Amino acid sequence: MTVIKPCSTIGILGGGQLGRMISIAGRNMGYRFITLDPTPNSPCGQVADLQITAPYSELKAVRNLADSSDVITYEFENVDSTITSILETTSFVPQGSELLKITQNRILEKSTLKSFHVPVAPFLVIQSENNIETAIDHFGLPYIMKTATGGYDGKGQWVIKSRDDITIAIEAWKKAGMDMIIEQFIPFSKEISVIVARNIHGQTKTFPVAENVHINNILHQSFVPARITDEQRIQAETTALKIADCLQIVGLIAIEMFLTNEGEIIVNELAPRPHNSGHYSMDACITSQFEQHIRAICGLPLGDTTLLSPIIMVNILGQHLSKVLDKIEQLPPTAKLHLYGKKESVENRKMGHINFLGATLEQIDKQIKDLGIWSYGNVD
Ligand code: AMP
């Protein structure tokens, strides 16, 4: 079985912050990095040995990436299948393209999870506008309409709260011209996530469960350890490991879940890569998710994921950056700032995050609130 040893070159499709953090972790281990991204000086390009600046659809550039790399990984899931097949024929792509296909499409993802007997929110695939009207009879109100492909951070999603919203939903469905699903609204008590690593030899390891808070559908904070019972934690980890094994993944898979008011776990979404809700691991675990991803795809033994300290990760969006910089001297000495090198600070764009470590989650939470950077109680 292939082991890609340090000093080899890792090619990353995509030059965003996830690629950047993979590269920083991998450079510490002695790997070299090449990234392909259409925007010059991308977050990953700034720290990689080389950036190939070209659109993902430029096959010559994709071949160039494959020819120059000992192993290829990707940092986003919407990779075109033409590209993955070129990469797979020319280079070593241990993550393969099957998982990408599944996670690119909610219908396939949910059907696959159902076939593994993993609980997901009841859903139906919209075939006609009649489905949108009669969904109330099946799912009650509110219900959620989601595009099958391309949605992220709440984009491509409509919450239908009343009969009046149905007309808007029908219009949106007609205009989108793509497959969509309707999903039952799950009144959850918490959103949690588990990241699992599986290497090419089949060894698996989970990261500690994160408890996630979203604002406007964008991840705002992750609290670790999640404030759930031992039984719920074991159930979340067991479900995550089952998914990783059933899908025979190589690399990382992030599994977002709802914890219902009845204490049941329902899987919402999969991401076949490092995930925002695992950024806490950079400062609070023996092995970060980024190092683990490299270990997994390179066939190295997986690292210890033990949590060393309670931690709250807080995202810095475009609207928060100047406030963070203004208060930089007031950050506690146990706060670890990570910025992604993005030039333009656009509203809701992920610019960085801060990992706040401390003795207890309550103490850290108070520290964050006292800083007054993020407004609570309001929509920021
Ligand atoms: P998604 O794009 O599926 O990850 O959804 C973004 C966010 O919308 C989730 O993190 C939840 O807060 C909310 N959400 C999505 N689907 C549901 C659902 N079926 N029931 C309740 N909330 C949901």
Side-chain angles (χ1 to χ4, degrees):
M1 279 251 199
T2 325
V3 174
I4 310 288
K5 296 197 173 163
C7 301
S8 307
T9 300
I10 301 178
I12 306 183
L13 201 62
Q17 65 262 26
L18 298 177
R20 178 188 179 93
M21 292 184 273
I22 293 172
S23 302
I24 293 173
R27 274 186 156 238
N28 285 336
M29 299 163 81
Y31 288 98
R32 293 173 53 78
F33 285 88
I34 302 186
T35 181
L36 170 63
D37 194 276
T39 314
N41 201 31
S42 66
C44 180
Q46 292 165 24
V47 300
D49 294 272
L50 181 74
Q51 169 169 343
I52 301 169
T53 307
Y56 302 121
S57 54
E58 195 178 303
L59 301 185
K60 200 170 131 229
V62 174
R63 279 199 193 95
N64 187 2
L65 178 76
D67 288 342
S68 319
S69 308
D70 297 299
V71 58
I72 299 267
T73 185
Y74 46 79
E75 59 125 43
F76 58 93
E77 53 269 47
N78 290 317
V79 184
D80 193 274
S81 58
T82 332
I83 292 174
T84 40
S85 54
I86 291 179
L87 290 173
E88 277 183 308
T89 47
T90 332
S91 189
F92 178 49
V93 191
Q95 290 162 279
S97 51
E98 195 49 36
L99 184 61
L100 279 175
K101 256 187 243 153
I102 295 172
T103 52
Q104 273 169 3
N105 188 308
R106 279 188 204 276
I107 302 168
L108 193 55
E109 183 174 288
K110 282 175 164 287
S111 314
T112 307
L113 289 170
K114 264 179 87 172
S115 74
F116 301 153
H117 304 288
V118 168
V120 293
F123 70 101
L124 65 80
V125 180
I126 303 176
Q127 315 277 3
S128 70
E129 56 179 84
N130 188 38
N131 291 143
I132 304 177
E133 280 162 13
T134 55
I136 295 186
D137 307 331
H138 298 289
F139 301 124
L141 284 171
Y143 68 79
I144 305 193
M145 184 171 89
K146 296 180 179 181
T147 55
T149 53
Y152 67 95
D153 286 345
K155 294 188 178 76
Q157 255 187 52
W158 294 259
V159 180
I160 317 303
K161 295 192 183 115
S162 68
R163 286 188 183 271
D164 293 344
D165 292 340
I166 289 176
T167 329
I168 301 168
I170 291 174
E171 281 311 305
W173 173 69
K174 281 187 186 157
K175 212 166 130 200
M178 59 167 87
D179 286 342
M180 287 204 195
I181 62 162
I182 285 173
E183 209 175 273
Q184 186 174 316
F185 186 87
I186 306 294
F188 54 82
S189 65
K190 278 186 192 330
E191 291 192 76
I192 57 173
S193 59
V194 182
I195 294 172
V196 187
R198 185 172 178 279
N199 69 11
I200 43 187
H201 313 295
Q203 184 196 5
T204 51
K205 246 183 218 305
T206 54
F207 278 89
V209 182
E211 174 186 336
N212 303 316
V213 176
H214 293 84
I215 295 182
N216 294 333
N217 281 329
I218 302 174
L219 181 66
H220 168 50
Q221 288 182 314
S222 298
F223 291 68
V224 192
R227 292 161 296 183
I228 56 178
T229 65
D230 279 350
E231 202 183 310
Q232 289 161 347
R233 180 181 51 74
I234 291 165
Q235 205 192 330
E237 287 168 354
T238 311
T239 306
L241 281 168
K242 178 176 174 180
I243 295 169
D245 276 331
C246 286
L247 289 169
Q248 296 270 293
I249 69 136
V250 173
L252 296 191
I253 187 161
I255 298 145
E256 293 186 78
M257 308 169 183
F258 299 130
L259 182 64
T260 67
N261 294 332
E262 292 73 41
E264 225 189 307
I265 281 174
I266 291 183
V267 172
N268 178 39
E269 217 177 13
L270 309 178
R273 51 170 170 75
H275 192 257
N276 195 169
S277 68
H279 289 358
Y280 75 86
S281 63
M282 295 171 85
D283 297 303
C285 290
I286 292 179
T287 308
S288 77
Q289 62 166 344
F290 300 104
E291 178 180 338
Q292 196 76 306
H293 180 67
I294 292 165
R295 285 170 172 264
I297 60 167
C298 290
L300 298 176
L302 297 178
D304 189 329
T305 53
T306 301
L307 187 71
L308 300 170
S309 160
I311 181 164
I312 301 178
M313 186 280 320
V314 194
N315 267 337
I316 302 169
L317 304 182
Q319 60 269 38
H320 306 134
L321 184 60
S322 62
K323 288 189 221 165
V324 168
L325 297 179
D326 285 348
K327 298 209 171 174
I328 197 80
E329 284 140 299
Q330 291 160 45
L331 291 182
T334 46
K336 310 288 281 183
L337 173 69
H338 301 267
L339 291 181
Y340 308 148
K342 296 182 186 176
K343 262 204 227 108
E344 263 187 279
S345 191
V346 179
E347 190 174 348
N348 288 340
R349 187 174 194 206
K350 290 175 182 168
M351 304 302 288
H353 66 273
I354 305 181
N355 281 333
F356 291 89
L357 292 98
T360 64
L361 290 176
E362 293 69 33
Q363 177 238 320
I364 309 170
D365 193 32
K366 181 173 182 319
Q367 228 170 26
I368 296 170
K369 285 184 174 134
D370 288 348
L371 278 170
I373 295 172
W374 296 270
S375 39
Y376 292 90
N378 309 317
V379 173
D380 65 348

